[in-house]
Amino acid sequence: MSEFDPARHRSFDYVSASNDWVPWVSASIPGSLDLQVRRRIESNLKHILAGLEMKAGLIIPHGERLAGREVLYEPYFQSLIFEFCVGVYSVCEGIGSAHHLHNIGDDGSAGPRVSRARWTDALVAEYDPADVLSLRERVEIVQDKRDRLHQDSLGARDDIDWHSFGYAQAFVPARQALQPLLQAEIGDVPATTNLLIR
């Protein structure tokens, strides 16, 4: 990692490591869940969040043209945005499922499958119950992007419009979807993160 350069518009040199996310993930998961379930969620999500950090560190300078020019090959940029959306989907699914299980008094130890509708409802009820942050809408955008490259039958899907994986169309709402979750436990968010909109 290079030294912080205060002259830069925003530094993307520093990103958090996976273990830096353990306090935030732990604080975001209801304590009523089984200890091993909590451990597995923490293990999975901390690595996903570290991956999101690295992707955001490449996507943001290119998308905002912080160097005054493009910095990534465009197809790679779109692929990174797709991967970012898949990661955000996983974070929302993990946290939303944990809250759904808590709400129905299930500790998760039997490994129940939580449907998308149920974890989405639980996530929104926990982090944006008054619908002032457009969390549901942004999560639905993330779900749509994730689904575009996830198919059950070969050739059953329409051609992919790669413009739909653009910065404003996909990355910005995906990053915005994380904000209510991050803000709810802001004291446990790593100090050096590309994920938090300041």
Side-chain angles (χ1 to χ4, degrees), residues 24 179-191 193 196 198:
W24 179 83
Q179 301 313 300
L181 285 67
L182 298 175
Q183 292 291 340
E185 303 296 342
I186 192 67
D188 293 304
V189 172
T193 176
L196 189 63
R198 301 184 193 277

Side-chain angles (χ1 to χ4, degrees), residues 4 24-25 36 58 79 81 83 103 107 112 121 128 132 136 152 166-167 176 186 188-189 196:
F4 175 72
W24 179 83
V25 176
Q36 289 305 312
L58 293 169
S79 294
I81 291 174
E83 292 174 13
N103 294 342
D107 72 358
D121 287 348
D128 189 21
V132 296
R136 182 178 299 276
D152 297 322
Y167 188 75
Q176 289 172 336
I186 192 67
D188 293 304
V189 172
L196 189 63

